[in-house]
């Protein structure tokens, strides 16, 4: 899925309409004539008196021609211009503008600019400044482009063509953030319907976000994601019975730290577990624990976003124990993250050669097929994992989801119904089933599932978030939705899904400053450079909207109110 598709999907599914500014821009391209206003015809009668006076002065009794009039205007002094009536000056400026347009169409940029300059002497009109800016753009004089666009916008702050040209000139000057803001204004003012502007904005937003992300990542300390995320990762593997369970030891300090690692994982104190595991390897734990220790260290490195060192740890783990199935599976995760599907599947082939009856192999290969969009193979592998061990709750959950993706709705619902009967106390089953029911527009039962999931596990933030979004989008109760999101953050302060959902609701409710606060938190929670870039794009878009509401209060009220009235798509 392309970057643009991802953003489009986010906007449609999550209804964060204001974030459309993330993908908005305007390139100054296309036919030159686009830049020019439509021409109006000359009413010669309005100039009869003036022309007669000029003829008398020159001793010319011939009927004045359009060329005579034009020549007179082009050479007219500022003192003479000042004596003309407003209508005379307006008509004269229009004549000069018409000539400028004709010259522009012939690509005579310098001569056209001179006509617009003279037209401005008669009347300071934003169109004339903008047209002259177009001439300067073609002449490569970017400073004058900026100056003329600025002058045009002083006269008409919502003049789209001038905003576009100013944004482009700012981009050429290297002032990307100011250019981004001007492009954002264009998109909001045009109700986000300008596709050219959208594509150009996406390009510039990407540049701004990448630049800032690359600077942040240089000094950002590696960190684990939320405890919810880490727990979900560990829980996606069945208990590893092939490993010796560490016992408390006072003779070998390395073994003692590995024992602490194991205990910390059990209590979900993952940061402490990561530190203790590093210490166990550093001090040297017993050979019976070493492959497992490197596997755990690699897992934490992978979750922190350090794929390179994680792979080295999994390689070391396999070197110490060539039959360690889980390390092969985890190597496949890194291959998938790098986009190497062939190498990822190769890890499973090697694992199957070692132990073809290990159910985790088929579950995680099913995950790889699911991610790759091969739902039929995913269903086959999930089913095999269940056949080998039906006590693992996540396999039937994923089977039901994959069946749904294949359009096998009845089979999917039947899978979830049977899974609910087998695991009635599982918060996860209720939460995932609720998501599927929501997709089916079965809103009452979806709400019931989320409520039950919360009752079964009050420390799981995900059902709170799902219930919050359902409450907000369907019941139109933003206060209750905000309350549920804040409970989710109390349960897990590092839950990025809760942060993003809360920020979205606040933004749509017009609470821009508080929404910005949560989007900035998302930058801090991000682990990889790609995640940071994504979070920055939300921050930049929100900042631009805040500034727009201050600088264009009337237009902001009208434009953004229209967006908030658009129907919500679940």
């Amino acid at each position: 899925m392309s970057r643009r598709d991802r953003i489009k999907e986010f906007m449609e599914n999550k209804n964060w309409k204001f974030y459309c500014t993330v993908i908005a821009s305007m390139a100054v391209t296309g036919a030159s004539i686009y830049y020019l206003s439509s021409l109006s015809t000359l009413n010669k009668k309005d100039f009869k008196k003036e022309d007669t006076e000029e003829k008398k002065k020159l001793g010319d009794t011939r009927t004045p021609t359009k060329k005579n009039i034009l020549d007179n205007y082009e050479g007219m002094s500022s003192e003479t211009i000042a004596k003309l009536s407003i209508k005379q000056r307006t008509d004269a400026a229009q004549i000069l503008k018409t000539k400028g347009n004709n010259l522009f169409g012939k690509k005579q940029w310098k001569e056209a600019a001179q006509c617009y300059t003279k037209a401005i002497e008669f009347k300071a009109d934003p169109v004339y400044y903008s047209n002259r800016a177009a001439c300067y753009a073609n002449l490569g004089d970017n400073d004058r482009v900026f100056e003329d666009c600025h002058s045009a916008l002083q006269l008409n702050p919502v003049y789209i063509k001038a905003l576009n040209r100013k944004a482009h000139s700012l981009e050429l000057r290297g002032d990307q953030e100011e250019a981004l803001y001007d492009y954002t204004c264009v998109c909001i003012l045009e109700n986000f319907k300008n596709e050219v502007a959208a594509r150009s904005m996406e390009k510039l937003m990407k540049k701004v976000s990448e630049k800032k992300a690359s600077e942040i990542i240089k000094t950002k300390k590696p960190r684990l994601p939320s405890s919810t995320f880490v727990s979900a990762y560990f829980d996606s593997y069945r208990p590893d019975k092939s490993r010796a369970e560490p016992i408390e030891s006072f003779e070998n300090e390395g073994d003692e730290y590995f024992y602490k690692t194991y205990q910390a994982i059990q209590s979900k104190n993952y940061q402490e577990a990561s530190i203790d595991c590093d210490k166990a390897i550093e001090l040297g734990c017993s050979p019976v624990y070493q492959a497992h220790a490197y596997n755990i260290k690699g897992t934490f490195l992978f979750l922190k976003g350090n794929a390179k060192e994680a792979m080295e740890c999994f390689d070391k783990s396999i070197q110490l124990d060539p039959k360690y199935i889980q390390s092969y599976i985890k190597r496949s995760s890194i291959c998938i993250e790098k986009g190497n599907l062939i190498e990822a599947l190769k890890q499973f082939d090697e694992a199957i050669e070692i132990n073809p009856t290990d159910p985790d192999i088929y579950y995680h290969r099913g995950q790889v097929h699911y991610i790759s969009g091969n739902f039929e193979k995913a269903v086959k592998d999930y089913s095999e994992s269940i056949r080998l061990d039906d006590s693992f709750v996540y396999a039937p959950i994923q089977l039901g989801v994959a069946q749904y993706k294949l359009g096998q709705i009845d089979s999917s619902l039947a899978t979830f119904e049977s899974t609910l009967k087998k695991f009635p106390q599982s918060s996860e089953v209720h939460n995932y089933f609720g998501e599927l029911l929501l997709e089916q527009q079965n809103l009452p039962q979806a709400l019931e599932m989320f409520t039950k999931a919360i009752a079964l596990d009050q420390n799981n933030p995900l059902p709170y978030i799902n219930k919050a979004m359902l409450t907000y989008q369907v019941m139109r109760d933003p206060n209750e939705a905000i309350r549920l999101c804040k409970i989710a953050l109390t349960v897990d302060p590092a839950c990025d899904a809760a942060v993003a959902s809360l920020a979205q609701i606040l933004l749509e409710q017009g609470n821009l400053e508080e929404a910005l606060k949560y989007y900035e938190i998302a930058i801090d929670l991000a682990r990889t450079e790609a995640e940071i870039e994504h979070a920055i794009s939300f921050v930049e878009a929100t900042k631009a909207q805040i500034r727009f509401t201050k600088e264009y209060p009337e237009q902001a009220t009208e434009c953004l109110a229209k967006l908030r009235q658009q129907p919500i798509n679940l």
Side-chain angles (χ1 to χ4, degrees), residues 10 14 225-229 431 435 460-469 481-482 484-490 492-506 518-519 521-523 525-527 531 534-535 538:
F10 179 87
K14 294 297 187 181
S226 71
S227 61
T228 302
F229 188 98
N431 184 55
E435 290 182 3
N460 183 355
L462 300 183
Y464 289 104
I465 298 167
N466 283 330
K467 185 176 180 180
M469 298 312 292
I482 290 170
L484 288 167
C485 285
K486 289 186 175 180
I487 292 175
L489 282 174
T490 301
D492 185 354
C495 182
D496 51 359
V499 170
S501 299
L502 182 55
Q504 175 196 336
I505 296 170
L506 290 167
Y518 283 102
Y519 280 126
I521 290 173
I523 295 177
L525 294 177
R527 297 167 297 117
E531 289 176 359
H534 182 69
F538 282 93

Side-chain angles (χ1 to χ4, degrees), residues 61-79:
T61 58
R62 292 174 297 170
T63 302
T65 65
K66 185 175 179 180
K67 184 178 186 303
N68 297 147
I69 295 171
L70 185 58
D71 289 341
N72 289 339
Y73 287 145
E74 288 180 331
M76 192 173 288
S77 67
S78 57
E79 291 80 6

Side-chain angles (χ1 to χ4, degrees), residues 108-246:
Q108 296 178 11
W109 322 120
K110 184 176 180 181
E111 293 79 4
Q114 291 171 349
C115 284
Y116 297 133
T117 298
K118 195 65 182 179
I120 290 168
E121 289 186 41
F122 283 89
K123 181 184 178 182
D125 189 294
V127 174
Y128 306 158
Y129 280 108
S130 183
N131 286 0
R132 189 171 69 176
C135 295
Y136 290 144
N138 283 285
L139 291 168
D141 193 341
N142 192 53
D143 287 341
R144 286 189 174 183
V145 173
F146 175 81
E147 291 169 4
D148 272 357
C149 288
H150 179 75
S151 297
L153 293 168
Q154 289 291 305
L155 297 168
N156 182 1
V158 294
Y159 187 26
I160 298 297
K161 289 182 182 179
L163 268 173
N164 275 327
R165 294 196 183 105
K166 180 167 169 272
H168 187 64
S169 71
L170 285 165
E171 192 174 356
L172 292 176
R173 293 168 75 170
D175 195 344
Q176 295 181 338
E177 290 187 48
E178 281 299 307
L180 183 60
Y181 172 65
D182 279 350
Y183 282 134
T184 299
C185 293
V186 170
C187 290
I188 296 177
L189 291 169
E190 298 218 294
N191 203 26
F192 307 106
K193 293 179 180 178
N194 189 322
E195 284 296 319
V196 175
R199 288 192 295 270
S200 299
M201 175 61 80
E202 176 187 1
K203 179 187 70 173
L204 187 56
M205 175 62 80
K206 189 173 188 299
K207 287 182 180 179
V208 171
S209 300
E210 283 180 344
K211 182 179 179 182
K212 292 192 172 186
S214 65
E215 291 300 316
I216 291 174
I217 200 69
K218 291 176 183 177
T219 57
K220 189 175 181 66
K221 294 181 179 180
R223 63 178 297 168
L224 289 169
S226 71
S227 61
T228 302
F229 188 98
V230 179
S231 294
Y233 186 85
F234 277 104
D235 290 345
S236 70
Y237 291 87
R238 292 168 170 85
D240 193 352
K241 298 177 182 179
S242 70
R243 300 297 102 189
E245 185 172 329

Side-chain angles (χ1 to χ4, degrees), residues 390-401 412-438 445-446 448-454 456-457 460 462-463 466:
D390 64 357
S391 66
F392 183 63
V393 67
Y394 292 102
I397 288 175
Q398 288 300 125
L399 174 61
V401 174
S412 175
L413 292 173
T415 296
F416 269 103
E417 291 287 359
S418 63
T419 305
L420 272 177
K421 291 179 181 178
K422 187 174 180 61
F423 304 95
Q425 300 304 309
S426 170
S427 174
E428 295 292 346
V429 177
H430 286 82
N431 184 55
Y432 279 100
F433 194 21
E435 290 182 3
L436 187 147
L437 292 167
L438 182 59
Q445 195 174 352
E448 181 184 337
M449 287 293 159
F450 296 142
T451 302
K452 180 67 173 178
I454 292 171
L456 290 169
D457 183 2
N460 183 355
L462 300 183
N466 283 330

